[in-house]
Amino acid sequence: PVLYTATGEKQYTGRYATDVVTDLGLAFIAARPKDKPFFLMLHHKAPHRPWVPNHEHGAAFSARRIPEPATLWDDYAGRTDALRENKQRIVDLTRQDLKQDPPAGLAGDDLTRWKYQRYMQDYLACVHSVDENVGRIIDWLRDRGDFDDTLLMYTSDQGFFLGDHGWFDKRWMYEESLRTPLLVRWPGATRAGAVNTDLVMNLDLAEAGARELGEPVEEVRAVLLAGEEPAVARRSPVAVAKRRERGIALGPHVDARGADVVGRADHPAE
């Protein structure tokens, strides 16, 4: 891969991107004085288009059949035509995405099924490399003696469509793309195996880190990650996207002009 920094670029030949990014992260921690705290954000490219796995994982997943999601054949009944006309359907995946041509004669639902399998085989193989490297970091911290003194957070920027509603990517406001994975290991704060059903947002991550370092936090949302009750319960996020005076609000499901966007009873995934 070619990695870019503020001062230039560097090519790493014969190595897989996920391994390289992890190596650089571990080198950063190792270079810190042992008596000083460190803060590291380690972001991986692997789950992003065009989903290129390393050879070992790609070969291992190529023989697997991935179950189809229940909504793969969603007909979008009662919803906007934009859902049918968008270009992030499984059938829209390109040869660059799939790395090979489909078998001759495939068309219709059979072609969609074939493309779904190729997409998922590569996607899961890429994510498997992330899993392996998360394990590398944990093992490295254990060997160094820092594992039980380190706040670990595993998350993403959003969810992703894995054939849900017949789509790949993330650019529709449905549950599968809105919900974001978040796993936290916070020694002395979180309990192993505990599940928190409160509404957590990405701004809580910075506050949790600040609290761990003894810094004052005005909005103490970090308590959610520690399994404590916040002083004021968060009921819903509000996200407003404006374009030519249009906007939508996420939570009460009304747009900026007061019109109803979607009825959750009819379409619970939205």
Side-chain angles (χ1 to χ4, degrees):
V2 176
L3 300 185
Y4 299 89
T5 70
T7 57
E9 63 183 62
K10 181 176 180 179
Q11 184 168 12
Y12 297 81
T13 304
R15 300 167 64 192
Y16 187 57
T18 309
D19 301 327
V20 172
V21 170
T22 302
D23 289 343
L24 293 173
L26 295 180
F28 165 79
I29 300 173
R32 290 285 295 167
K34 197 72 167 64
D35 60 343
K36 298 287 186 180
F38 63 84
F39 176 80
L40 171 66
M41 298 176 67
L42 194 70
H43 296 178
H44 286 295
K45 173 68 171 68
H48 294 76
R49 198 175 188 179
W51 312 292
V52 180
N54 68 19
H55 297 302
E56 177 187 355
H57 297 151
F61 278 85
S62 65
R64 298 190 183 185
R65 186 187 183 283
I66 313 302
E68 296 175 358
T71 59
L72 178 63
W73 306 105
D74 194 338
D75 61 5
Y76 317 120
R79 284 163 281 169
T80 174
D81 287 341
L83 299 181
R84 302 175 187 83
E85 297 166 359
N86 79 89
K87 295 301 182 182
Q88 64 175 61
R89 299 169 302 165
I90 293 297
V91 73
D92 297 318
L93 289 164
T94 67
R95 192 191 187 287
Q96 182 181 9
D97 297 324
L98 304 174
K99 293 87 177 174
Q100 59 183 268
D101 294 318
L106 272 191
D109 290 352
D110 290 336
L111 178 60
T112 299
R113 283 194 167 95
W114 181 85
K115 287 192 171 188
Y116 168 77
Q117 291 298 321
R118 283 294 308 124
Y119 163 54
M120 288 300 296
Q121 287 162 356
D122 280 351
Y123 181 88
L124 294 176
C126 289
V127 172
H128 188 69
S129 72
V130 176
D131 291 344
E132 280 193 344
N133 279 277
V134 170
R136 281 183 60 206
I137 294 168
I138 290 173
D139 290 343
W140 190 89
L141 289 171
R142 279 199 174 109
D143 292 342
R144 181 181 162 93
D146 287 336
F147 184 65
D148 290 326
D149 193 32
T150 301
L151 167 58
L152 295 173
M153 300 180 186
Y154 177 93
T155 189
S156 179
D157 46 358
Q158 75 281 311
F160 211 71
F161 294 118
L162 302 178
D164 310 282
H165 309 287
W167 297 328
F168 64 93
D169 206 75
K170 66 214 173 194
R171 300 171 203 279
W172 290 103
M173 196 176 290
Y174 277 63
E175 288 292 296
E176 295 90 348
S177 57
L178 279 177
R179 290 189 176 273
T180 301
L182 174 60
L183 302 175
V184 176
R185 186 182 189 277
W186 191 349
T190 55
R191 301 184 311 276
V195 177
N196 191 320
T197 59
D198 292 313
L199 184 59
V200 176
M201 300 176 71
N202 57 7
L203 57 86
D204 299 324
L205 308 185
E207 293 173 353
R211 173 176 164 170
E212 180 69 4
L213 293 172
E215 296 294 329
V217 179
E218 293 184 10
E219 290 287 335
V220 192
R221 300 295 187 181
V223 299
L224 289 175
L225 304 187
E228 304 169 16
E229 290 294 327
V232 179
R234 179 186 285 144
R235 298 185 181 278
S236 70
V238 176
V240 177
K242 289 188 175 180
R243 187 175 185 181
R244 295 184 181 177
E245 298 184 349
R246 292 186 177 183
I248 54 176
L250 194 158
H253 301 288
V254 294
D255 70 8
R257 298 157 296 168
D260 185 35
V261 173
V262 60
R264 287 291 301 272
D266 296 330
H267 304 292
E270 292 185 276

